[in-house]
Amino acid sequence: MENSFTTMVREYLSRLEVPLVGALQKLVQYKYPKEVYALAFEIFSDGFTSQFPARVFFMNRTNTEYFLYENGVAKYPSPIDPNILEVEYVYPQEIEEEFAAKDPELDPWNIATLEFIAWFYSCWTKAGGKNFPLVATIAHHDSSREFNLITGQWQESYAQFNA
């Protein structure tokens, strides 16, 4: 059952590849203020069935989200919306429910998250991310581990901020 769900997740993610690569190219090519040290992409697993599940955060060296202020209003230092893509869902809720009903032990959020990270990394690479001059990571929200988009390796969360 897990293999079938994984295949389905991959199929739905592939439909979003072109717009994601385009959005990531804008992020990769953007000239960030010197205070921005890292792009931290976080995945909110409950979002697979209701939106694009990842969001980007612009972090400084103290691991604090950085904002630009214009006329006292906070703005993201970004060429795109931090929600990255506006989609209704990655895959429909019914599919997740169907698989869960067939196999109550199945963990669709974990499976989808791991597939999403592998797919996102592929899109990041296609967008020129290997040459990105800042730190860039992706992880499940509040995870103790993250995937380094530059090195292509898993690491402890925010380890680069303490280096």
Side-chain angles (χ1 to χ4, degrees):
M1 193 56 57
E2 183 174 328
N3 287 340
S4 295
F5 185 74
T6 298
T7 299
M8 184 277 312
V9 170
R10 287 179 184 158
E11 179 184 314
Y12 275 93
L13 287 172
S14 71
R15 299 173 186 181
L16 300 174
E17 184 169 324
V18 170
L20 180 61
V21 169
L24 293 176
Q25 283 175 330
K26 291 176 183 174
L27 288 171
V28 165
Q29 295 169 359
Y30 189 70
K31 300 296 183 212
Y32 294 93
K34 66 180 178 1
E35 294 84 0
V36 175
Y37 176 71
L39 300 189
F41 296 91
E42 289 197 21
I43 303 166
F44 299 87
S45 296
D46 58 345
F48 281 101
T49 59
S50 62
Q51 63 193 13
F52 192 73
R55 180 176 175 83
V56 61
F57 295 89
F58 306 90
M59 310 302 286
N60 66 20
R61 285 191 176 273
T62 63
N63 196 30
T64 303
E65 194 171 7
Y66 180 78
F67 296 94
L68 296 172
Y69 288 90
E70 290 181 9
N71 300 321
V73 176
K75 290 180 54 178
Y76 291 102
S78 175
I80 65 168
D81 186 282
N83 291 321
I84 307 169
L85 295 180
E86 290 295 323
V87 297
E88 186 177 348
Y89 53 75
V90 171
Y91 55 80
Q93 175 75 36
E94 299 78 31
I95 290 176
E96 196 172 271
E97 292 168 354
E98 176 186 322
F99 276 94
K102 290 178 183 175
D103 182 358
E105 299 295 313
L106 188 75
D107 185 351
W109 288 359
N110 186 55
I111 294 166
T113 297
L114 291 174
E115 285 303 314
F116 186 90
I117 290 171
W119 170 76
F120 192 95
Y121 178 61
S122 172
C123 292
W124 175 263
T125 301
K126 290 175 184 175
K130 284 287 198 177
N131 298 315
F132 189 61
L134 306 176
V135 172
T137 59
I138 187 167
H140 188 270
H141 179 66
D142 287 339
S143 175
S144 63
R145 295 187 46 78
E146 63 191 5
F147 189 83
N148 185 313
L149 293 166
I150 309 303
T151 66
Q153 302 291 316
W154 285 96
Q155 63 191 27
E156 292 303 310
S157 288
Y158 303 115
Q160 73 277 358
F161 293 104
N162 299 318

